[in-house]
Amino acid sequence: MEILPFDAALGAEIRCGDVHQASNATIAQIRQASLDHLVLLIRAQTLSDAQLCAFGKHFGELQLSNPLPSPLANEGKVAQGRRDERYPEVTVVSNVIENGVALGGLGDGELVWHTDMSSFAAPPNQTILHALEVPASGGRTGFLNMYRAYETLPPALKTRVRDLKLKHDSTIDAAGYVRKPFAKDADIDLRAGPGSEHPLLRTHPETRSDCLYLGRRTRAFIVGMEATESEALLDELWAHATQHQFVWRHDWRVGDVLMWDNRCTMHHREPFDASARRHLHRMVVKGSVPVLASLV
Ligand code: OGA
Ligand code: MN
């Protein structure tokens, strides 16, 4: 097996042949590479959903997720496709509409910087995407190294974020749409919104290193802090964390498997041509409650 780190703040390509035939030793190396490089790219895979699930289970228990919403289905223009009940752990990320049915969710627009499902009490450790169809251009997925974002903060800010908690609100998805259960409450009071509170600085349970855990910007606030002060601090942290020097962007090819550690990265998707087909299968590995180890 080969591990080829990218010339960037995070990410590496793994060359290991077909992952569904990987030995236990190779899987152990991939797990370690994931801790070392945060985002892994494995090219030229042709995984069935059964093989994708089997691969995902090497990294922990899989999390069942609801179908990702299609913006067009949200607007009532097409029907939302149903998931394949044989593989309920697999969700579909796609803009493709077939016979008036959206194959998957998240459309063709920009997805703002976020980490997956941080509004959950125990957000997932890993997300794995497998590309079945990709556009000729656009739709790149970018990643941020949130250890680096923390390590490079000015000392005064490092001290300031130590004891703070952030509210991760689940009203709006990364595509900017109000999630269905909250459609009637789009103007829901910020402080009373659905979601979870997590430490702004968390310790990765496996690497034991600390990283910023920002979730997403929309409707986020620092618990117990006056609104103007909270906005100013979050703006400062986001401006710092989203600098180019912490980013690596992935240009998709059919067959790519891309997996990332949600605890210490954020990701972003560029928009792409609405008439192009983009179709990926996704799975999510369960995680634990975020903690700052020095406080427990
Ligand atoms: C996701 C996601 C990015 C993409 O599936 O969680 O953010 O590039 N996808 O589609
Ligand atoms: Mn995501």
Short mmCIF file of all heavy atoms in Angstrom, two decimals, residues 114 116 260 267 282, ligand 2:
data_model
loop_
_atom_site.label_atom_id
_atom_site.label_comp_id
_atom_site.label_asym_id
_atom_site.label_seq_id
_atom_site.Cartn_x
_atom_site.Cartn_y
_atom_site.Cartn_z
N HIS A 114 -18.84 23.51 6.36
CA HIS A 114 -19.53 22.86 7.47
C HIS A 114 -18.83 21.56 7.82
O HIS A 114 -17.99 21.08 7.06
CB HIS A 114 -21.00 22.56 7.10
CG HIS A 114 -21.14 21.51 6.04
ND1 HIS A 114 -20.94 21.78 4.69
CD2 HIS A 114 -21.43 20.19 6.12
CE1 HIS A 114 -21.12 20.66 4.00
NE2 HIS A 114 -21.41 19.67 4.83
N ASP A 116 -20.20 17.59 9.11
CA ASP A 116 -21.49 16.91 9.02
C ASP A 116 -22.15 16.67 10.38
O ASP A 116 -21.51 16.20 11.32
CB ASP A 116 -21.33 15.58 8.27
CG ASP A 116 -21.02 15.81 6.80
OD1 ASP A 116 -21.49 16.83 6.26
OD2 ASP A 116 -20.31 14.99 6.20
N TRP A 260 -13.44 11.45 5.03
CA TRP A 260 -12.86 12.50 5.88
C TRP A 260 -13.27 12.34 7.33
O TRP A 260 -14.30 11.76 7.64
CB TRP A 260 -13.22 13.89 5.38
CG TRP A 260 -14.68 14.25 5.34
CD1 TRP A 260 -15.42 14.78 6.35
CD2 TRP A 260 -15.57 14.14 4.20
NE1 TRP A 260 -16.70 15.02 5.92
CE2 TRP A 260 -16.82 14.63 4.61
CE3 TRP A 260 -15.42 13.69 2.89
CZ2 TRP A 260 -17.93 14.67 3.76
CZ3 TRP A 260 -16.52 13.73 2.04
CH2 TRP A 260 -17.75 14.22 2.48
N HIS A 267 -15.79 20.99 5.46
CA HIS A 267 -15.78 20.88 4.00
C HIS A 267 -16.76 21.83 3.36
O HIS A 267 -17.67 22.36 4.01
CB HIS A 267 -15.99 19.44 3.55
CG HIS A 267 -17.22 18.76 4.08
ND1 HIS A 267 -17.29 18.25 5.35
CD2 HIS A 267 -18.42 18.52 3.50
CE1 HIS A 267 -18.47 17.71 5.54
NE2 HIS A 267 -19.20 17.87 4.44
N ARG A 282 -23.15 7.97 -0.27
CA ARG A 282 -22.52 8.50 0.94
C ARG A 282 -22.84 7.60 2.12
O ARG A 282 -23.97 7.10 2.23
CB ARG A 282 -23.10 9.89 1.19
CG ARG A 282 -22.75 10.58 2.49
CD ARG A 282 -23.77 11.69 2.64
NE ARG A 282 -23.35 12.78 3.48
CZ ARG A 282 -23.95 13.08 4.64
NH1 ARG A 282 -24.94 12.35 5.08
NH2 ARG A 282 -23.55 14.13 5.33
MN MN B 2 -21.34 17.63 4.31
#
